[in-house]
Amino acid sequence: MNIGLTGGIACGKSIVAAMLADRGAFIVDADLIAREVVEPGSVGLERIVQHFGRDMLLPDGSLHRQELGKRIFADPKEREVLDGILHPLIIAEISRRMDHFAADHPDKLVVADVPLLYESGMEELFEEVMVVYAPPSLQTERLMERNGLTREEAEQRITSQMSIGEKAKRADILIHNDGTLEQTERQIADFWRQKGLS
């Protein structure tokens, strides 16, 4: 079985992914893949430089993530361009890794951890989609604390994604992560039991 795992920024998706991994699930991490497809010498990085310019590179030839982040969070059109460059590369690699795990371990759960799953139109890749939910006010507080952002910067990043309320409506499986870790763990245990996973 495979599922897509998503949620809003700072909703606690990584915590849920770790809980699933602890139970034996294989995790395909879209954020990790997103870093790999822009490594020096990659097609992804070359295309970013072609569109955004050489000031997107650090002196060592790697991607200047902060500079790119400033550009795309300030201009939704530029974000769309970046998504158009990266999403096909990321989706192809997610699919390849999921197929690999499914072929080698057909009895195990394969989880693709994808922050922008709905925004990328990837639902059809998965049997079900699990959404990790936290209310927007808590998202903002967590993001400010975690990334050292101002409230305005945190809200700008949150609103650049589909709202967590909309993601929750679309979910096949909804995990509430606005309480204790034990409460979140109980929901994962219930999911595991309902699916008859070993």
Side-chain angles (χ1 to χ4, degrees):
M1 177 186 180
N2 72 60
I3 63 169
L5 173 65
T6 195
I9 191 167
C11 279
K13 190 172 45 56
S14 298
I15 290 167
V16 170
M19 289 175 177
L20 291 165
D22 285 346
R23 291 175 174 272
F26 289 101
I27 308 295
V28 177
D29 186 338
D31 277 345
L32 188 61
I33 292 169
R35 288 183 175 274
E36 290 170 4
V37 301
V38 294
E39 285 176 351
S42 66
V43 172
L45 185 58
E46 186 183 319
R47 290 179 185 164
I48 287 170
V49 171
Q50 281 172 358
H51 177 80
F52 293 95
R54 296 201 64 79
D55 56 339
M56 292 299 122
L57 293 177
L58 290 166
D60 67 359
S62 63
L63 180 62
H64 194 324
R65 294 180 182 281
Q66 282 183 313
E67 198 59 40
L68 183 60
K70 277 188 218 165
R71 184 86 66 89
I72 64 163
F73 286 117
D75 186 343
K77 285 199 174 75
E78 292 285 57
R79 186 183 175 95
E80 282 176 26
V81 170
L82 182 66
D83 289 348
I85 291 168
L86 297 184
H87 285 177
L89 300 172
I90 295 166
I91 290 167
E93 185 58 20
I94 287 171
S95 298
R96 189 192 70 75
R97 292 188 193 185
M98 283 173 53
D99 290 346
H100 169 76
F101 283 134
D104 288 356
H105 306 277
D107 57 329
K108 293 288 186 182
L109 176 67
V110 180
V111 179
D113 178 348
V114 187
L116 300 177
L117 187 151
Y118 290 119
E119 292 88 337
S120 311
M122 290 175 61
E123 303 96 305
E124 69 280 356
L125 290 182
F126 310 108
E127 292 170 48
E128 292 186 309
V129 175
M130 176 183 284
V131 171
V132 182
Y133 175 86
S137 58
L138 185 54
Q139 276 184 280
T140 304
E141 295 302 323
R142 285 176 177 169
L143 192 56
M144 287 167 65
E145 189 177 324
R146 186 184 80 189
N147 292 30
L149 302 177
T150 65
R151 182 170 297 279
E152 185 183 5
E153 287 169 334
E155 288 173 351
Q156 190 179 50
R157 293 195 179 202
I158 290 166
T159 56
S160 74
Q161 297 183 354
M162 180 185 291
S163 78
I164 189 61
E166 181 58 31
K167 289 181 182 184
K169 280 188 220 162
R170 298 185 184 198
D172 299 301
I173 309 139
L174 188 61
I175 302 295
H176 289 268
N177 188 40
D178 52 356
T180 65
L181 282 177
E182 290 75 18
Q183 288 169 325
T184 303
E185 177 63 60
R186 275 202 295 276
Q187 293 172 77
I188 297 302
D190 288 345
F191 159 75
W192 206 263
R193 198 165 42 250
Q194 286 162 13
K195 296 299 177 187
L197 294 161
S198 56

